[in-house]
Amino acid sequence: MVERVLPGGIAWGAKPQVETQCAHEVQCPYCGLVQFVEESERSHVTYCARCRSRLEHCAGTSTDLSLACALSALLLFIPAWTLPFLTSEALGATRTSHLASSVTILWQQDQHLLSVVVCLFLLVFPVVRFVSLTAVLFTLRIDKHPRWLAGAFRVYNSLQTWSMPDVFLLGLLIAYERLRSSIPTTIGSGALCFMAAVVLGVIARATLNKVGTWRMIAAEQRVQSDEPLMACQSCGLLLPAHPGRQSCPRCGATVRPRKPHSFSIALALLIASGLFYLPANLYPIATIPIGLKPTSYTVLGGVVDLLESHLFGLALIVFTASFTIPLLKMAGLAWCIVSALCPAPTHLIVKTRVYRVIEEVGRWSMVDPLTISCFVPVLQFNALIDGQARDAATAFTAVVILTTIAVKAFDPRLMWDAAGSHR
Ligand SMILES: [Zn+2]
Ligand SMILES: [Zn+2]
């Protein structure tokens, strides 16, 4: 990594001049500044001195509480998988779904991408995450340090974006309200267990001190070097920034000064998602029976249906998640890419904040495909009362996945590098 110095004495990618005895070094993952964080501040939330991104969050964290919630959520997944999820009634018949029902039905409807996505995002990844977190925290609790610990915690963190039980829960509520306005529908005990597991999972995440857990797995050694430093993007460990790739001695992840081929990958995926965006919004995303008549609707048509059913809050949520967020995600990422390609030292903090927002909220765009996966299994009565995912569901899912990978592939530190070289 080439060290660049801005007017004003800030060394880009190098240590600030001020060092205190009770401080440890961290590198901001968003702007690349290596800085000292006071130990006394570790019980609070710490922000980057340059881009204002959150570096460490230790307030209100508890390893024991996080472990208890993760274990409870894991156990609740057993009844959530096996007990009835939704039950609908029509024409004297009933249809009952389970958590995994949509995977097979969507596959039979030739919605292969959506079927695989639901299987991974809803069934596999959440369980893997809760198993990993429970195993890591329990092992640390009994003061053991086996070699697999860092890898397991790395898996937990890396699946955070792709594990979507919380997004599915919102989809379940939307599907339930939609179904209830057409046919009698009840929420089963499996869905109640699922809701409890999601709430516990959110508490486990909120009370987890990630930085502290990495330090419990293996404490950092202070780097005795005047060379520029780089941080492992997985665990935050600082290493001398040698050219090329290194392997992180703590978690085993590949560490590079910057993400490789960041521009080209992000730009290619952004263009691809833009191509999918039009069919995703122009063609029907699903068919549901309205007034005993099969009715196909587009993304925006679904919002209109919710408005006509006087479900104004849900209509606003679906409009925001399905229409606004993908659009903002593509526009925001395009702005960041242009900023990194064409050095622009203005609005860097705003651009970094935009990047953080689209990185955090982008996964909620999956709410519409996951809503479809909720109601399709309980709308299999006859040709009239029939629920189907349509072609736009695949296109829409592709948009969400491609934009999410594009955001992950882009390295926001390149914007700060470009601005530094421009000055
Ligand atoms: Zn920063
Ligand atoms: Zn690491």
Side-chain angles (χ1 to χ4, degrees):
M1 183 175 63
V2 180
E3 182 182 340
R4 284 180 277 266
V5 181
L6 286 176
I10 300 174
W12 291 62
K15 298 178 188 176
Q17 296 303 309
V18 181
E19 181 174 355
T20 59
Q21 283 187 336
C22 299
H24 63 277
E25 290 170 296
V26 296
Q27 185 183 41
C28 173
Y30 295 100
C31 72
L33 180 69
V34 179
Q35 54 206 285
F36 287 93
V37 175
E38 295 289 338
E39 298 288 335
S40 59
E41 293 178 20
R42 293 174 68 187
S43 59
H44 304 287
V45 182
T46 311
Y47 295 93
C48 173
R50 183 159 67 181
C51 74
R52 309 283 180 246
S53 301
R54 194 166 74 178
L55 294 175
E56 296 187 2
H57 175 215
C58 308
T61 57
S62 163
T63 302
D64 287 346
L65 181 57
S66 188
L67 171 59
C69 290
L71 180 59
S72 305
L74 187 59
L75 294 175
L76 277 169
F77 260 91
I78 298 170
W81 273 59
T82 53
L83 295 178
F85 218 73
L86 283 177
T87 301
S88 63
E89 295 176 36
L91 308 171
T94 61
R95 294 287 181 271
T96 300
S97 70
H98 291 79
L99 184 58
S101 300
S102 58
V103 175
T104 49
I105 292 178
L106 287 170
W107 188 270
Q108 288 162 2
Q109 292 181 356
D110 293 331
Q111 299 293 333
H112 299 143
L113 176 64
L114 190 53
S115 173
V116 172
V117 162
V118 170
C119 180
L120 293 176
F121 292 7
L122 184 62
L123 306 178
V124 179
F125 292 164
V127 172
V128 171
R129 282 194 88 215
F130 285 128
V131 168
S132 305
L133 183 61
T134 304
V136 168
L137 295 182
F138 178 75
T139 309
L140 291 172
R141 185 80 176 77
I142 59 175
D143 204 21
K144 301 287 184 193
H145 293 80
R147 292 179 64 86
W148 54 263
L149 215 52
F153 197 51
R154 197 174 135 206
V155 166
Y156 168 79
N157 289 315
S158 61
L159 291 179
Q160 182 171 309
T161 303
W162 303 108
S163 171
M164 300 193 180
D166 46 355
V167 183
F168 182 79
L169 180 57
L170 180 59
L172 173 66
L173 296 176
I174 295 169
Y176 173 67
E177 291 294 340
R178 265 199 171 157
L179 286 169
R180 211 170 56 136
S181 62
S182 300
I183 56 176
T185 308
T186 53
I187 287 183
S189 47
L192 296 175
C193 293
F194 182 82
M195 290 178 197
V198 171
V199 172
L200 288 167
V202 170
I203 298 173
R205 182 185 165 187
T207 54
L208 176 68
N209 180 352
K210 277 189 190 175
V211 176
T213 304
W214 276 120
R215 288 201 183 108
M216 285 159 67
I217 292 171
E220 298 104 333
Q221 302 280 323
R222 176 161 293 185
V223 180
Q224 299 294 334
S225 170
D226 290 329
E227 292 178 84
L229 301 173
M230 63 178 180
C232 169
Q233 290 283 290
S234 178
C235 74
L237 185 71
L238 282 177
L239 304 166
H242 298 149
R245 51 192 285 179
Q246 298 181 55
S247 185
C248 174
R250 179 156 68 182
C251 73
T254 300
V255 188
R256 293 185 177 91
R258 296 291 181 262
K259 292 178 186 174
H261 313 299
S262 179
F263 292 131
S264 46
I265 295 174
L267 191 59
L269 291 171
L270 186 63
I271 292 169
S273 58
L275 294 175
F276 278 109
Y277 187 75
L278 279 178
N281 282 278
L282 292 176
Y283 290 100
I285 193 166
T287 300
I288 55 171
I290 296 179
L292 291 183
K293 183 181 162 196
T295 309
S296 297
Y297 69 89
T298 59
V299 170
L300 286 178
V303 177
V304 173
D305 285 344
L306 289 170
L307 286 173
E308 287 174 348
S309 304
H310 303 288
L311 300 170
F312 301 114
L314 292 181
L316 181 63
I317 290 171
V318 173
F319 179 76
T320 305
S322 302
F323 187 76
T324 313
I325 289 181
L327 212 54
L328 287 179
K329 200 158 63 163
M330 288 191 285
L333 184 60
W335 191 29
C336 293
I337 290 174
V338 168
S339 175
L341 285 172
C342 310
T346 55
H347 309 303
L348 279 173
I349 293 177
V350 177
K351 288 170 189 168
T352 308
R353 190 167 295 160
V354 166
Y355 178 82
R356 289 203 323 266
V357 168
I358 60 177
E359 183 188 41
E360 185 64 32
V361 304
R363 57 201 289 279
W364 287 92
S365 301
M366 273 302 290
V367 69
D368 232 8
L370 293 180
T371 301
I372 294 167
S373 75
C374 282
F375 64 63
V376 162
V378 288
L379 282 176
Q380 304 297 313
F381 288 95
N382 57 24
L384 294 177
I385 307 179
D386 183 38
Q388 291 225 2
R390 302 290 299 276
D391 292 341
T394 296
F396 192 87
T397 305
V399 170
V400 179
I401 292 174
L402 289 172
T403 50
T404 305
I405 298 174
V407 170
K408 284 191 166 296
F410 180 72
D411 194 332
R413 294 171 295 184
L414 295 174
M415 293 190 294
W416 293 83
D417 291 347
S421 62
H422 181 67
R423 294 187 186 191

